[in-house]
């Protein structure tokens, strides 16, 4: 892929900021910086199915995380986050014994830690993180960061291995028990297509969407406290339901098994079983251009996430309910882990502007915040940004 295929953020091309954080006078041995990019994602359908080894249909989007990296040559790994205006540093030879401290920089040292435990060399670097993916927006800012970092720190070039490294850093170091969907999408993203991914085999194929539908996300601008603990609880409940059914994972359960479960476990399993079926139905509907059917499935997914999986919240429900009253909206649902973040909306192309205006004013009236609206373009996965192709050389002063 050439850099011209990717919309390059100014943050990636403006090295002045990098040199203002790491001036050549203080870091004299630094070599030339290189820039790495990994996209966020929106998941069209197949929510909370990845850690149940089921089906998902995410799409890499045109909002990305950029990591600028230059060798430090002094045995230190340093990082600065432009969005958080915070820095952290570690001695490279101490990273193998690092433990998570609970902050944002765990995601950085976690990737280095994972690479080292895999026997891959990690050298000292000065890193700058600059991201367009909204933090807490449900669009996988963490996975975009993890994958961009895995590249910047010399991780494997193959996208599946790259995704595995970033995913393992998240589960084994940061200790978030997530599935692999987000990292896989950041690594494998396709221009103009979503990815139908089987989270058990990691087999995937690109799925093109009909021309006349736009994918629009609306960010609720909230993230409730509950998000992380509820995610863990759902992962545990699904494991418990699978165990009760005597199957390796809920991927192996069918509608006929649900009667053998009760209460909460039955609801959780019903979501997973019906959601896997909805992914397949959605892909079939997209192949024959059946927009109404696609929209209906997306909305059904939301109802299932709200009622059976119980991971929605008033803000997300409001955004979905309001979207469904707007002419030209085919379907809407919450996206990602839940309890805040964004909704994804399937909107007829000619209705996108009316959708944005209506949803923004309605949400502001009810919740006092303006939701960020973004029309997504399916984008390529992680890569190096070749600075020579996009900007004149910048001198390191
Ligand atoms: C988060 C996790 C993913 C996935 C989604 C829900 O984004 O990181 O692995 O489980 O929630 O589908």
């Amino acid at each position: 892929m050439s850099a011209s295929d990717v919309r390059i953020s100014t943050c990636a091309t403006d090295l002045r900021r990098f040199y203002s954080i790491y001036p050549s006078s203080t870091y004299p041995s630094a070599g030339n910086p290189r820039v790495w990019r990994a996209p966020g994602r929106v998941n069209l359908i197949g929510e909370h199915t990845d850690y149940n080894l089921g089906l998902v249909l995410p799409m890499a989007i045109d909002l990305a995380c950029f990591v600028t990296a230059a060798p430090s040559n002094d045995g230190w790994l340093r990082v600065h986050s432009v969005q958080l205006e915070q820095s952290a540093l570690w001695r490279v030879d101490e990273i193998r014994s690092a433990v998570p401290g609970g902050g944002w920089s765990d995601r950085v040292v976690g990737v280095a830690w994972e690479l080292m435990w895999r026997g891959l060399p990690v050298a000292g670097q000065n890193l700058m993180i600059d991201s367009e993916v909204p933090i807490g927006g449900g669009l996988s800012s963490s996975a975009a960061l993890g994958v961009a970092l895995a590249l910047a720190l010399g991780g494997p070039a193959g996208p599946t291995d790259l995704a595995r490294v970033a995913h393992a850093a998240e589960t084994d170091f940061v200790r978030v028990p997530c599935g692999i969907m987000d990292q896989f999408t950041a690594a494998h993203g396709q221009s103009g297509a979503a990815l139908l991914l089987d989270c058990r085999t990691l087999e995937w194929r690109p799925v093109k969407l009909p021309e006349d539908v736009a994918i629009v996300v609306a960010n609720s601008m909230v993230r409730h406290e509950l998000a992380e603990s509820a995610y863990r609880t759902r992962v545990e409940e699904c494991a418990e339901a699978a165990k009760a059914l005597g199957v390796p994972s809920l991927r192996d359960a069918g509608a006929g098994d649900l009667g053998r479960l009760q209460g909460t476990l039955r609801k959780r399993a019903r979501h997973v079983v019906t959601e896997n079926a909805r992914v397949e139905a959605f892909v079939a509907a997209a192949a024959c251009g059946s927009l109404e059917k696609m929209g209906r499935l997306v909305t059904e997914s939301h109802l299932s996430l709200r009622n059976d999986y119980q991971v929605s919240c008033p803000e997300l429900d409001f955004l979905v309910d309001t979207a469904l009253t707007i002419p030209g909206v085919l379907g809407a649902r919450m996206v990602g882990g839940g309890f805040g973040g964004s909704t994804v909306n399937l909107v007829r192309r000619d209705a996108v502007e009316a959708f944005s205006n209506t949803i923004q004013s309605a949400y502001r009236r009810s919740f006092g915040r303006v939701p960020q609206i973004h029309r997504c373009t399916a984008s390529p996965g992680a890569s190096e940004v070749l600075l020579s192709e996009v900007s004149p050389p910048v001198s390191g002063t």
Side-chain angles (χ1 to χ4, degrees), residues 126-173:
N126 295 327
L127 305 172
M128 177 181 84
I129 300 167
D130 198 354
S131 186
E132 306 163 326
V133 190
I135 295 171
L139 303 177
S140 280
S141 57
S142 312
L145 171 60
V147 170
L149 275 167
L151 273 180
L153 294 177
T160 299
D161 286 339
L162 193 63
R164 284 188 208 272
V165 166
H167 177 240
E170 192 74 12
T171 55
D172 300 355
F173 188 83

Side-chain angles (χ1 to χ4, degrees), residues 41 43 45-52 56 138-140 142-143 167 170 176-183 199 223 231 235 271 275 305 309 311 333-338:
R41 65 98 188 94
N43 187 17
I45 196 159
E47 211 67 88
H48 286 279
T49 47
D50 63 350
Y51 53 83
N52 289 300
V56 292
L139 303 177
S140 280
S142 312
H167 177 240
E170 192 74 12
V176 173
C178 62
I180 201 169
M181 166 172 72
D182 302 346
Q183 292 82 7
C199 296
R223 181 172 160 80
Y231 190 91
V235 172
H271 168 72
E275 186 76 352
L305 288 158
Y309 220 64
V311 288
R333 66 176 200 87
M334 54 152 278
V335 66

